[in-house]
Amino acid sequence: MPAEAGTVVGMALVEPGRADDGEGALIPGYGHVSMVFVHPSHWSNGYGQHLLRAVHALGYTRTTLWTRRSNERAQRLYAAAGYVPNGRTTHLLDGDEIIQLERRAEPV
């Protein structure tokens, strides 16, 4: 959680990835990013990248996340962190399309 002068300005949640869209067994080395939030008053200050670097430091070799197709700002953040569309899409209850992005860790 990035903090500025003792105030939390963002947060991320990553959980171990599972088969069958989260219903199945754990997949070793796979993490699913459920959320990345930065308060709008702190956008464009590098906090999103900081959060994603912390997620990647957990050691997952593959991470995925979902985002609205219409959320170009988030897609730019994720692309800068190495995420690319993997071809999976679905729709939210409100009809908005969401796309899945994936990042593979660099070989060490």
Side-chain angles (χ1 to χ4, degrees):
M1 293 184 286
E4 187 173 281
T7 301
V8 174
V9 298
M11 63 181 280
L13 174 64
V14 62
E15 51 199 311
R18 294 180 171 275
D20 303 321
D21 288 325
E23 301 293 324
L26 289 174
I27 300 173
Y30 172 42
H32 180 73
V33 181
S34 296
M35 66 177 82
V36 176
F37 294 122
V38 175
H39 191 277
S41 67
H42 289 49
W43 285 354
S44 300
N45 288 317
Y47 291 116
Q49 286 295 336
H50 175 77
L51 288 165
L52 290 171
R53 280 192 302 273
V55 165
H56 303 150
L58 295 172
Y60 293 112
T61 56
R62 173 180 168 237
T63 50
T64 58
L65 56 84
W66 291 92
T67 190
R68 290 177 188 259
R69 183 175 296 282
S70 61
N71 191 342
E72 293 176 7
R73 179 182 202 89
Q75 289 179 53
R76 286 191 304 272
L77 168 68
Y78 301 137
Y83 287 85
V84 296
N86 66 7
R88 294 192 66 200
T89 64
T90 191
H91 291 84
L92 298 172
L93 293 176
D94 65 5
D96 205 4
E97 185 177 25
I98 58 174
I99 60 174
Q100 190 175 55
L101 305 177
E102 183 171 327
R103 179 184 183 271
R104 300 275 179 163
E106 300 280 328
V108 288

